[in-house]
């Protein structure tokens, strides 16, 4: 419960987010950021961490300057998903895009 409910990042979690932003997989980032070398443990714990709100928020903040430099923002992403939902030839692709547009986490 403490892992899920806490709102502030620990120093290890901050490093974890930085490593993910640099392109490492969550498992690799966990091994580099936390005091463990067990790949199975790192895979399990990193999967739990990336699902927490504080980590996803920190990852968005870490990537924000890079996305701004590329001209990517929430509006442009939603416009592109909408374009796909409207113009895709495959029903499956249109349906996935519509579900993505309806996702409240966007």
């Amino acid at each position: 419960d403490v892992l899920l409910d806490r709102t502030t990042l620990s120093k290890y979690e901050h490093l974890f987010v930085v490593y993910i932003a640099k392109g490492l997989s969550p498992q690799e980032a966990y091994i580099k950021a936390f005091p463990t070398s067990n790949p199975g443990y790192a895979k399990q714990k990193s999967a739990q961490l990336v699902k927490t709100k504080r980590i996803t928020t920190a990852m968005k903040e870490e990537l924000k300057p890079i996305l701004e430099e590329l001209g990517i923002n929430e509006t442009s992403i939603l416009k592109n998903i909408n374009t796909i939902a409207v113009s895709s030839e495959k029903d499956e692709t249109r349906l996935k895009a519509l579900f993505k547009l309806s996702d409240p986490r966007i």
Side-chain angles (χ1 to χ4, degrees):
D1 288 339
V2 173
L3 173 74
L4 299 175
D5 295 336
R6 201 164 24 89
T7 57
T8 57
L9 292 178
S10 70
K11 65 180 179 179
Y12 297 118
E13 290 172 339
H14 178 73
L15 280 173
F16 176 73
V17 169
V18 170
Y19 288 137
I20 287 179
K22 289 186 178 188
L24 292 179
S25 71
Q27 182 179 4
E28 293 169 327
Y30 193 93
I31 289 171
K32 286 187 85 163
F34 288 86
T36 187
S37 58
N38 182 330
Y41 180 79
K43 184 175 184 177
Q44 177 189 2
K45 290 299 186 179
S46 65
Q48 288 176 338
L49 269 181
V50 296
K51 292 177 184 176
T52 63
K53 184 167 179 71
R54 71 180 177 282
I55 295 293
T56 55
T57 301
M59 288 185 339
K60 285 179 184 178
E61 288 301 314
E62 190 72 27
L63 291 173
K64 194 177 266 185
I66 297 167
L67 294 174
E68 286 176 1
E69 185 177 309
L70 295 171
I72 300 171
N73 59 36
E74 290 178 4
T75 304
S76 67
I77 292 170
L78 288 172
K79 283 181 182 179
N80 286 328
I81 293 172
N82 187 52
T83 300
I84 292 168
V86 171
S87 65
S88 179
E89 294 179 13
K90 293 184 178 181
D91 290 339
E92 181 181 347
T93 304
R94 282 197 310 272
L95 188 58
K96 284 181 182 179
L98 288 170
F99 276 120
K100 192 65 176 171
L101 285 173
S102 67
D103 188 346
R105 294 176 292 168
I106 294 182

